[in-house]
Amino acid sequence: MTDRAARFAAAYALLRVAADLGDHWIQSDHQAVTKGQHDENEGQSSRAGRLACTAHVATYTATQALVLAAGSRALGLGLKPSRVIAALALSAGTHWWADRRIHLKALAEATGKGNFYTLGGPLGGNYALDQAFHHFVETIAAAVATSK
């Protein structure tokens, strides 16, 4: 295994564990319930949704940054700060985009996954597609973080 491959694998593992922590332990109940709100839905507020999603992504990204920094130091990965910042910006921006829900739903519908998106309620298809999207982006972010 090359040094770059090992660094990539370690960075991906660190980003993945941090994402699980940020999404499932650090995110508040209020953020989880509110981040997908839109004015088009009765009793909901787009502003409240945007604020909750932004707060969630801030703590999510901080968690990824702390875990990646600590892991990089402990494992001697020697990640460049500029690359880590770029990776975290990619992760944060796409995480916000997906967690507002309407964008990911539109993508699911455009790719023929609309029925799967609605399958099984809120922790069914839409959650699976959400997590798959985040895993995909974290793979790219790990490649960005470990590039020379």
Side-chain angles (χ1 to χ4, degrees), residues 10-11 14-15 17-18 21 62-79 84 88:
L14 293 166
L15 287 170
V17 73
L21 288 171
T63 302
Q64 282 193 316
L66 288 170
V67 170
L68 193 55
S72 177
R73 184 176 179 95
L75 298 171
L77 299 180
L79 300 179
V84 170
L88 292 172

Side-chain angles (χ1 to χ4, degrees), residues 52-112:
C53 195
T54 300
H56 162 55
V57 170
T59 59
Y60 174 91
T61 306
T63 302
Q64 282 193 316
L66 288 170
V67 170
L68 193 55
S72 177
R73 184 176 179 95
L75 298 171
L77 299 180
L79 300 179
K80 293 181 180 179
S82 62
R83 294 297 188 178
V84 170
I85 290 168
L88 292 172
L90 172 66
S91 180
T94 58
H95 198 93
W96 194 93
W97 180 88
D99 276 17
R100 287 293 287 136
R101 299 197 178 118
I102 59 169
H103 310 296
L104 196 61
K105 182 179 181 184
L107 179 61
E109 290 169 352
T111 58

